[in-house]
Amino acid sequence: MVIAIAADHAGFRLKVLILEFLKTLGHDMVDLGTQSEEPVDYPDYARALAQEILSGSAERGILICGSGVGACAAANKFPGIRAAICHDTFSAHQGVEDDDLNVLCLGARVIGPELAKEIIRVWLAAVFSGQKGIAEDWPRLIK
């Protein structure tokens, strides 16, 4: 699976650890930045990640900021992106299985690296059930 990953300055260190972790799982990654802890604006990275998924260049994305909240809000501005903050494994697999979640948002100041890895492992293993739900109904709901 091709996974796009992006973070703002608050999520940079966790992003580096996650990139290494994803390599061990055998996934291809697209690192969309940032490349340091210098202050940047998280919406720019949410946009880049959304465009990567919407273009078909990546199947899913991981977006990291300090809390996960700003990144999630910014990502969900793009039609076709279904992003959620998941700081537990249940939400991670349920979000994919029931809602076809394609962007996982994490708060680097909220969870540690080991929990982040476990959440990502579960999220990547989850498969959309195909049952009619929010993912299929989304175009009707936003009109």
Side-chain angles (χ1 to χ4, degrees):
M1 183 182 305
V2 178
I3 303 161
I5 186 167
D8 71 358
H9 55 284
F12 170 72
R13 287 185 186 200
L14 183 58
K15 182 194 77 148
V16 171
L17 296 171
I18 289 171
L19 283 166
E20 289 302 314
F21 174 67
L22 291 171
K23 284 181 193 174
T24 68
L25 296 179
H27 294 285
D28 293 324
M29 292 147 300
V30 180
D31 181 355
L32 299 167
T34 191
Q35 304 304 330
S36 75
E37 292 182 273
E38 290 296 315
V40 295
D41 294 327
Y42 65 83
D44 296 335
Y45 295 89
R47 179 186 304 108
L49 186 125
Q51 290 172 339
E52 197 74 14
I53 292 169
L54 295 172
S55 73
S57 298
E59 296 167 66
R60 292 189 190 174
I62 299 172
L63 192 54
I64 310 162
C65 71
S67 67
V69 175
C72 186
N76 277 313
K77 301 270 186 203
F78 297 89
I81 296 299
R82 294 169 303 280
I85 303 167
C86 296
H87 290 154
D88 62 87
T89 57
F90 176 80
S91 299
H93 77 76
Q94 184 273 335
V96 174
E97 291 171 358
D98 290 355
D99 303 313
D100 201 16
L101 185 71
N102 57 7
V103 175
L104 175 65
C105 299
L106 299 172
R109 294 176 178 152
V110 178
I111 61 171
E114 293 309 311
L115 180 55
K117 290 176 189 177
E118 188 58 27
I119 291 167
I120 291 167
R121 184 187 333 271
V122 168
W123 178 71
L124 289 172
V127 177
F128 179 50
S129 68
Q131 302 222 347
K132 187 167 175 70
I134 190 77
E136 289 182 8
D137 234 12
W138 194 250
R140 181 187 64 80
L141 293 171
I142 61 172
K143 287 185 180 180

